[in-house]
Amino acid sequence: MDDKLESHSFAVSVKADTSSEKPNENYKPIKEDQGQQKEELKEISGEDKNTDKENSSSEKKPENGKMVQEGDITQDGADERMLNNENDDVEKLTVKKEEIKFIPADQKNGDAKIDIGEVDKKAFVGMSKDELMKYANDPFWVRLRWIFFILFWAAWAAMLIGAVMIIVNAPKCAPPQPLPWYKKGPLVKFSSELQPNDAEVAQKLHSSAVIYELNPVDTYNAKSPEVQNRIRDLVLKYKNSSIDVILDITPNYAPGSSDFVKNALEDKEKRSGLVLFDVQGSDPPTTWLSIVNGSAWSKINEKYWALSQFGENLYDLNMNSTYVKDELNSILNHLIHLGVKGFRFRNTKHFIVKLEKENLVAEEISQQTIVDNMNDYRFWNHKQTTFQEGLGDLLQEYKLTIKNATDFEGFLGVTDDILRPEAYKTKDGNYGIDLPIYGRIGSDFDVSQKDLYGELKRTLETTGNTTWLQWNYHSLPNQTEPTAFSVFFMLLPGVPVVTAPKLENVNEEYYKEMAHLRSSPSFMHGSFDLYNSTQKVVAYSRIKSGNPGYFVAINPTNEDIVADFSGNNLPDKMTVDFISANFNTTAAALKSKIDTNAIPLTASSAVILTYVPKN
């Protein structure tokens, strides 16, 4: 580095020539600023004073400061060459002057420092267009360009295909499932014997299923040819329609003459299917009463007392017995094979009886008795023979048998009010049946005299608000126009069970309209809200986002009322969609709009309104 600095420090270099010729004196004009630059470079190089003196002795500064004579140069033209080199060095160093920094001497050791920086640093300059064009048609670069071109579009196409595949294969929101057939309704209940025009009545009622009752004594005799033929004829009657068949059966007792009871008495392993106690004297095991009054016990033979709560020669079955379970499951599968799609069990609260000796105690007086006769069945509470623990799980077993035999399309319900909903729940908290019956609301409920709102609210809350119920409704014999009660109950969360009217009394247009409303998303999957106005008018709404909402109101009183339901997140106006009998059409005609705060309802009338739900 010292050599480099030294070479840059001299403005003029001197070379000795061994030639004997007399040197020529050459003069070259120097610009004043070049002389000044030379002096500055000398300072930067850090040359000592002796070197400056030696170099200065070989230079002769002209008086006018414009010419310099090289006195000691012995070679011709050396001074010119030296000056040319000198100018080149000055220009190069001047360009890099900003890169050289002089650091003053340290006071401690007297050393001075020079920071030259990146002397050899060169700026990067790209190729010109002419230089690039030399390679434009070079095979290597042409091939490389094509490769990158193809790769780019291939990657672009892959990303596009990938985006489409993600959209196509992304999990989709499952559409709302339609209601199962037994929830669509209505269910039409006929007598036990098939009548010629039953199918026509069911079709005009737009029912989803029909209900027939199997004779109780035939439940465990269903495999007999006579019973099989009756059931085949019944199913065949509805084969070409969308109407399914439901049977009401009585599985908790059997007649003494049946093969079921005979086999139980003869086979010790099957004897657990009956509720038997050894005869010990002339008195029965307990003082329990039968439903038909009188003792609940009967001597089935000389050895045993048999529980017989449902009449003479009708013996209760132990529904938890393996023998009973196997027989009943076999009967259910056989009936399903014949074409039956669903079942309703009778007397379900009696399915389990406490058989332990410590439970064979006298019944207690019922707190809700409506009679004062001790020999009346209703006088006692029957805690040992009704609503026993495990009832829900037992019913769940039979429901699964039905589901498995019908690809989970079958149905299990009850024919009686369950009265105590908690007794019909399984250990998991679910109901052991598909459609419970609960509450006093029915055709025999006098809506004009009782609290319809309170009873309906209690019914829905007790059963959990989410349970689909059976609503028993018995049509009036000569009623052709839809009653207020009928219109009001058609859109409640549940399925109406209608007693089949006479064919000539069927109002097909009414049931067709109700079937249309019941198939709407607002009914099948919408929310349910119950309202009660100060004027005793009861109403409810069915709403599902993106669909028209329905508002059903009934006036159960004998007075004309203008009901106000404003302030319930309802719109200011609603459209009249359907009206019951007794509704005054002069106050509000069909398809007209009425104010929510002034809904006119004549005595014992109902109306269905539609509206656009608020967001």
Side-chain angles (χ1 to χ4, degrees), residues 1-2 4-10 38-48 52 93 100 102 114:
M1 181 176 291
D2 293 338
K4 290 182 180 181
L5 289 174
E6 189 173 348
S7 64
H8 288 300
S9 300
F10 292 111
K38 180 176 71 175
E39 293 300 323
E40 291 176 356
L41 291 175
K42 285 183 178 181
E43 293 179 2
I44 295 173
S45 64
E47 293 177 346
D48 56 22
D52 290 340
L93 290 175
I100 302 174
F102 177 76
I114 298 176

Side-chain angles (χ1 to χ4, degrees), residues 464-479:
N465 279 328
T466 57
T467 304
W468 213 257
L469 299 174
Q470 296 182 64
W471 300 104
N472 283 320
Y473 171 71
H474 303 282
S475 58
L476 299 178
N478 299 318
Q479 181 72 42

Side-chain angles (χ1 to χ4, degrees), residues 288-300:
W288 298 348
L289 296 180
S290 69
I291 292 176
V292 295
N293 299 323
S295 176
W297 298 95
S298 174
K299 277 187 180 181
I300 197 169

